[in-house]
Amino acid sequence: MTNALPLPCTGEPPSLAHPSDDCRDKRGTLIATIVGSSLAFVVGSIINVALPAMQDEFGVGPTGAQWIVNAYLLPLGALVLIGGAIGDHYGRKLVFQTGMIIFSLACVLCAVAWSFPVLMIGRALEGVGAAMIAPTSLAIIADGFSGRERGQAIGTWAAAGAAAGALAPLLGGVIVDFAGWRWAFVAIVPVAIYGLWVAQGAIRESRADEEARAPLDWLGAGLIAMGLLALIWSLIALPERGATRNVLAAGALGIALVAAFLAVEHRKGDNAMTPLRLFGSATFSGLSLLTLFLYMALGGLLVLLPYVLIRELGYGATAAGAAILPFPLILGLLSRIMGGTLADRIGTRMILTIGSLLVGGGFLLFARVPNTDVSYWQDILPALVVLALGMAASVAPLTSAVLASAGDRYSGVASGVNNAISRIAGLIATALLGLVLIGSSEDLTAGLASAAWAGAALAMASALSAWIMVNPKSVETD
């Protein structure tokens, strides 16, 4: 996945402390959190269309292109849970603003990067900043609003993020084509500074109630971060270097570190960053597998498709951004209808199964893209539309189902865990793209078709996870 994808879980966290009702600026709070959380959508969407230009400037091959994406996704996926816990303990406003500052400075570093390693440092710092912004922005909204206003604020927050994700590829493409990819990072900075300024005057400081605070599981966060780094490095290096001793050793080390992470989380029980008792529920496990498979499929496509359009089919960055635009537009416009109203009528398990099958159908259409004489209107657009319909049917019910399956006590933690799974899924998908970018370097459209078959299989696995493992009674939200 890239961070341009909608996240599956944005449920409100458990009980929140309200130190004071004074100095509340609801409008400013909503604006600041929308700006902050939208930055992740925007930077991910821009990178997708700027990737070939960045790759050319630094003279890096497919492996370098993968690291441009994953240098951001790795710290974001590994640290998003601990980022929320830090806000619970030390103050959400403080952590949110700190994340905004780190993100802004990282964008400046990316814009002036004089070498590829410097760019990688900037991208990694963007991921650290986003891992602090993403979980605290929703918690700040939940603290600043109550009752019906809270639901409306969360809906506005989610809609604004979707709109940002929809417009960013097109606007980013224009910047890349007419000013260069560095200016795409520069353009983000004033927006971030504005959000930081609004947050200073509008957001009130808050922390979770002591009994509801997420644990500061530094050991768990360190183990999963290092484990993912080793695993992702081995997956990215494998197509180019082959199964060398170093590649296999890195993969083995990654597996060992992830196993150590699971052992630590099991030992810590409810004080763990990821309480493993959540996965004792077949329904929660099924929803987690659905999230992993579905977001692996979509995350890989949203990186690969603009790359193929630019590299193989001769699109400019602006044209590539416009070509992808129907996907987020349909997703944003129909999510409430398909994922909300329709889910109420036919049931959560059924709509999740149908949505996954539709996503699989979209990938099957992509698998039919010809090697030559590709027509956007006949070959690309229909597949994008079917994919968007499938995701529109899946995102909202998945959020509700995860929260319902975990119960009130673990709803906030379950939301965070599912969110992290979706980000890690995109990280893995991007790491595996080397099999396409290197193996099909002479014919990227053929590589797109091969990747589409893998996406279809993942979507079908998502459908099976929903149908077989999700208990309809455990995901009722009424």
Side-chain angles (χ1 to χ4, degrees):
M1 155 184 133
T2 74
N3 34 316
L5 272 173
L7 298 178
C9 261
T10 52
E12 60 187 62
S15 61
L16 303 167
H18 298 267
S20 171
D21 286 331
D22 298 330
C23 303
R24 177 181 297 190
D25 186 339
K26 295 181 179 179
R27 183 171 177 270
T29 295
L30 189 56
I31 290 173
T33 52
I34 285 174
V35 169
S37 59
S38 295
L39 293 176
F41 288 95
V42 170
V43 77
S45 298
I46 289 175
I47 286 298
N48 288 348
V49 296
L51 193 57
M54 299 171 73
Q55 185 184 9
D56 289 343
E57 178 162 338
F58 289 104
V60 296
T63 298
Q66 290 170 278
W67 277 115
I68 291 173
V69 177
N70 276 348
Y72 173 81
L73 291 178
L74 180 60
L76 177 56
L79 301 178
V80 67
L81 287 176
I82 197 73
I86 293 172
D88 287 346
H89 283 259
Y90 299 113
R92 300 186 179 98
K93 178 180 179 179
L94 173 63
V95 173
F96 178 83
Q97 290 185 294
T98 303
M100 293 280 280
I101 292 171
I102 293 173
F103 193 93
S104 301
L105 293 176
C107 284
V108 173
L109 185 59
C110 289
V112 302
W114 54 91
S115 67
F116 190 70
V118 173
L119 178 67
M120 291 298 93
I121 293 171
R123 291 288 288 155
L125 288 174
E126 282 182 337
V128 172
M132 301 172 74
I133 296 168
T136 52
S137 62
L138 185 61
I140 287 169
I141 291 177
D143 174 75
F145 297 84
S146 60
R148 176 176 293 183
E149 282 188 337
R150 180 182 293 176
Q152 292 173 341
I154 291 174
T156 302
W157 174 84
L167 294 176
L170 182 58
L171 295 177
V174 172
I175 295 173
V176 171
D177 278 341
F178 292 96
W181 65 265
R182 294 178 184 273
W183 285 98
F185 286 103
V186 173
I188 293 173
V189 176
V191 180
I193 292 174
Y194 170 71
L196 184 64
W197 174 72
V198 174
Q200 178 61 33
I203 296 175
R204 66 182 186 184
E205 188 56 279
S206 67
R207 296 174 177 83
D209 295 324
E210 187 171 352
E211 64 275 10
R213 289 177 184 172
L216 286 175
D217 185 4
W218 293 108
L219 178 59
L223 286 171
I224 193 62
M226 296 305 297
L228 286 174
L229 176 61
L231 277 173
I232 295 306
W233 184 89
S234 66
L235 289 174
I236 291 177
L238 182 62
E240 186 175 43
R241 302 189 182 195
T244 64
R245 180 180 301 177
N246 289 341
V247 171
L248 294 178
L253 176 62
I255 293 172
L257 288 171
V258 172
F261 164 74
L262 294 175
V264 167
E265 300 305 277
H266 177 72
R267 177 174 58 82
K268 289 192 172 186
D270 286 347
N271 291 322
M273 182 174 71
T274 308
L276 296 186
R277 70 169 59 214
L278 284 170
F279 296 93
S281 162
T283 293
F284 184 83
S285 296
L287 294 170
S288 298
L289 288 174
L290 184 153
T291 302
L292 179 68
F293 296 143
L294 202 59
Y295 279 74
M296 276 184 65
L298 268 295
L301 176 76
L302 292 185
V303 174
L304 182 60
L305 181 57
Y307 191 89
V308 172
L309 291 174
I310 295 170
R311 282 279 189 237
E312 188 77 9
L313 302 181
Y315 283 50
T318 304
I324 300 168
L325 191 58
F327 179 84
L329 285 179
I330 293 171
L331 181 57
L333 291 172
L334 297 184
S335 286
R336 184 178 296 273
I337 298 172
M338 294 190 65
T341 305
L342 191 57
D344 292 339
R345 292 185 178 180
I346 68 175
T348 299
R349 183 178 72 165
M350 179 64 74
I351 194 64
L352 287 174
T353 303
I354 292 173
S356 297
L357 290 174
L358 280 172
V359 170
F363 275 107
L364 291 177
L365 290 177
F366 269 118
R368 297 175 64 251
V369 172
N371 291 348
T372 59
D373 299 325
V374 177
S375 166
Y376 173 78
W377 301 105
Q378 295 179 10
D379 301 318
I380 304 296
L381 181 60
L384 276 177
V385 170
V386 175
L387 280 170
L389 291 174
M391 287 302 293
S394 303
V395 172
L398 179 56
T399 297
S400 301
V402 167
L403 297 177
S405 68
D408 292 340
R409 180 181 178 186
Y410 293 104
S411 61
V413 175
S415 172
V417 169
N418 196 259
N419 193 320
I421 289 172
S422 70
R423 297 179 188 277
I424 292 170
L427 179 67
I428 295 171
T430 307
L432 292 172
L433 283 181
L435 298 171
V436 175
L437 298 179
I438 295 176
S440 305
S441 58
E442 300 300 321
D443 189 356
L444 286 175
T445 52
L448 175 64
S450 299
W453 283 110
L458 287 168
M460 297 305 158
S462 295
L464 286 174
S465 299
W467 187 254
I468 295 173
M469 299 182 69
V470 173
N471 181 348
K473 293 182 179 179
S474 67
V475 292
E476 293 292 336
T477 56
D478 292 335

